[in-house]
């Protein structure tokens, strides 16, 4: 059967198994969630397990699947062929074709459900679900879910989930999740997650996570994490982490950490966290803030370590480099510093 699989940047799976495009792999046993090769029958469901923004890669595969499946479309088989690598756009197109193939008419409503389809649209609602598809839109709502797709939009809601897709947008919500897309963006949530996307943005939230991406922004968040990306910004937060990226900024927070990036690069990490940037870096108590560039700035709370590497005209040359500890006396907490003549000097951001 045709299926879809996610990988890390090196084309490795969750168990670090190395794959290659065009090759066939076989195992003796196929047991769902235990052993064998796993992939997803519904293309966009792969984003919930391999969120974009972490250099994830996606492939179309041929899977010799057995009868086992999870509550979604995850399948397992003894044999898999990695057919071709595809991007997010191809995943979306494949998902549209998949749903169309499984919907035999423009409107399907199971017991207690409601489905409304506009011109050339397709809407399918599960028990007590509600699906509304605009012109050429595609909306699918599972039990108790609500899906609304604008013109050429795609909205898929899991059990009791809510998915709203604007013009040419794609919104996929997990169980009790909320995914909202304004314009041709992509929003994917795990169970109980929340994802909100501006025009052309991509937001993926894990279990109970919150991801918000602005115009052409990219936000990916792990379990219970929060990621907010501004215009063209990129924010990635692992479990319980918080990352916020401003315009064109990049912020990454590891588990329990906090990172914030302003325009064109700045990062802030919480207590015991680490922030590194080519602009402004700030940390909480006992954190580490490192900034490299020209006229860069750092600050931290009590006990934090501040490092500045000031570059010359040539970025490859470090003109000055200095380390200081926020002791509350010589180096004040919550005050921005830059490097002048080898000394930390207070400045305003």
């Amino acid at each position: 059967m045709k299926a879809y699989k996610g990988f890390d940047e090196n084309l490795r799976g969750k168990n670090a198994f190395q794959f290659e495009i065009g090759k066939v792999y076989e195992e003796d046993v196929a047991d769902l969630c235990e052993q064998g090769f796993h992939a997803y029958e519904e293309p966009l469901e792969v984003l919930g397990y391999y969120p974009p923004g972490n250099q994830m890669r996606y492939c179309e595969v041929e899977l010799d699947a057995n009868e086992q499946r999870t509550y979604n479309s995850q399948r397992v088989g003894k044999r898999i062929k990695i057919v071709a690598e595809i991007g997010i756009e191809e995943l979306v197109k494949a998902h549209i074709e998949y749903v169309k193939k499984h919907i035999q008419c423009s409107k399907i409503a199971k017991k207690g459900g409601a489905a409304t389809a506009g011109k050339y649209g397709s809407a399918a609602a599960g028990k007590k679900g509600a699906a509304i598809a605009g012109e050429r839109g595609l909306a699918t709502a599972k039990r108790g879910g609500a899906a609304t797709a604008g013109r050429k939009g795609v909205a898929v809601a899991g059990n009791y989930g809510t998915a709203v897709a604007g013009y040419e947008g794609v919104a996929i919500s997990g169980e009790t999740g909320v995914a909202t897309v304004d314009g041709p963006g992509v929003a994917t949530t795990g169970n109980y997650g929340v994802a909100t996307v501006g025009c052309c943005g991509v937001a993926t939230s894990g279990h109970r996570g919150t991801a918000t991406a602005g115009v052409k922004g990219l936000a990916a968040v792990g379990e219970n994490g929060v990621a907010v990306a501004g215009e063209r910004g990129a924010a990635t937060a692992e479990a319980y982490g918080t990352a916020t990226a401003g315009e064109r900024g990049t912020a990454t927070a590891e588990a329990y950490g906090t990172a914030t990036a302003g325009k064109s690069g700045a990062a802030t990490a919480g207590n015991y966290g680490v922030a590194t940037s080519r602009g402004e870096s700030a940390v909480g108590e006992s954190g580490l803030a490192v900034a490299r560039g020209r006229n860069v700035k750092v600050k931290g709370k009590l006990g934090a370590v501040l490092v500045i590497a000031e570059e010359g005209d040539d970025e490859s040359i470090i003109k000055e480099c200095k380390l200081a500890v926020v002791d509350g006396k010589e180096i004040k907490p919550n005050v921005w510093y830059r490097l002048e003549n080898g000394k930390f000097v207070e400045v305003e951001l």
Side-chain angles (χ1 to χ4, degrees), residues 262-283:
K263 182 178 180 181
S264 301
T268 302
N271 295 345
Y272 301 97
V274 177
T276 304
S277 77
R278 292 187 61 81
E280 296 82 33
S281 297
V283 291

Side-chain angles (χ1 to χ4, degrees), residues 231-302:
E231 182 177 346
R232 298 178 186 269
T236 304
E238 294 185 6
Y240 300 92
T242 302
T244 304
E247 182 181 346
R248 300 178 188 271
T250 303
T252 303
E254 296 183 356
Y256 300 95
T258 303
T260 303
K263 182 178 180 181
S264 301
T268 302
N271 295 345
Y272 301 97
V274 177
T276 304
S277 77
R278 292 187 61 81
E280 296 82 33
S281 297
V283 291
E285 293 181 4
S286 303
L288 172 64
V290 181
R292 172 176 174 164
R294 301 182 64 182
N295 297 315
V296 295
K297 304 172 184 68
V298 293
K299 75 173 181 178
K301 292 186 178 181
L302 201 62

Side-chain angles (χ1 to χ4, degrees), residues 24-312:
V24 177
Y25 302 90
E26 295 188 30
E27 285 194 358
D28 296 331
V29 178
D31 188 9
L32 193 63
C33 299
E34 295 293 337
Q35 191 173 349
F37 298 104
H38 293 73
Y40 298 87
E41 192 174 355
E42 294 186 30
L44 286 180
E45 285 196 353
V46 72
L47 296 179
Y49 296 84
Y50 293 87
N54 294 328
Q55 296 182 306
M56 297 299 185
R57 298 167 66 180
Y58 309 98
C59 288
E60 177 187 320
V61 302
E62 291 179 0
L63 183 67
D64 182 22
N66 60 26
E67 71 284 354
Q68 293 179 311
R69 67 170 68 227
T70 57
Y71 67 91
N72 49 31
S73 71
Q74 189 180 46
R75 304 292 297 273
V76 64
K78 296 180 180 180
R79 183 179 184 275
I80 190 171
K81 179 180 180 181
I82 313 301
V83 177
E85 184 170 0
I86 59 177
I88 298 294
E89 184 177 349
E90 288 78 13
L91 272 177
V92 172
K93 290 179 180 178
H95 192 89
I96 292 173
E97 294 304 314
Y98 172 86
V99 177
K100 284 182 177 179
K101 183 179 179 181
H102 289 77
I103 296 177
Q104 301 302 319
C105 61
S106 61
K107 295 188 293 184
I108 297 177
K110 293 185 178 180
K111 184 177 180 180
T116 303
K119 187 177 181 181
Y120 304 111
S122 298
K127 187 176 181 181
K128 296 185 179 181
I132 301 174
E135 183 181 344
R136 299 182 187 273
L138 179 62
T140 304
K142 295 183 179 180
R143 177 185 176 93
T148 303
R151 187 170 183 266
K152 296 185 180 180
V154 178
V156 180
N159 294 342
Y160 305 99
T162 302
V164 180
Y167 175 72
E168 293 188 343
V170 178
I172 311 294
S173 76
E175 186 171 343
T176 321
V178 178
T180 306
V181 179
D182 177 19
V186 179
T188 307
T189 79
N191 295 344
Y192 307 97
V194 178
T196 305
V197 177
C199 181
C200 302
V202 178
T204 302
S205 74
H207 183 68
R208 299 183 188 274
T210 301
T212 304
V215 177
K216 295 186 179 180
L218 177 62
V221 58
E223 182 179 351
N224 291 293
V226 178
V228 181
E231 182 177 346
R232 298 178 186 269
T236 304
E238 294 185 6
Y240 300 92
T242 302
T244 304
E247 182 181 346
R248 300 178 188 271
T250 303
T252 303
E254 296 183 356
Y256 300 95
T258 303
T260 303
K263 182 178 180 181
S264 301
T268 302
N271 295 345
Y272 301 97
V274 177
T276 304
S277 77
R278 292 187 61 81
E280 296 82 33
S281 297
V283 291
E285 293 181 4
S286 303
L288 172 64
V290 181
R292 172 176 174 164
R294 301 182 64 182
N295 297 315
V296 295
K297 304 172 184 68
V298 293
K299 75 173 181 178
K301 292 186 178 181
L302 201 62
V305 176
L306 310 181
V307 180
I308 292 180
E310 188 73 20
E311 296 175 344

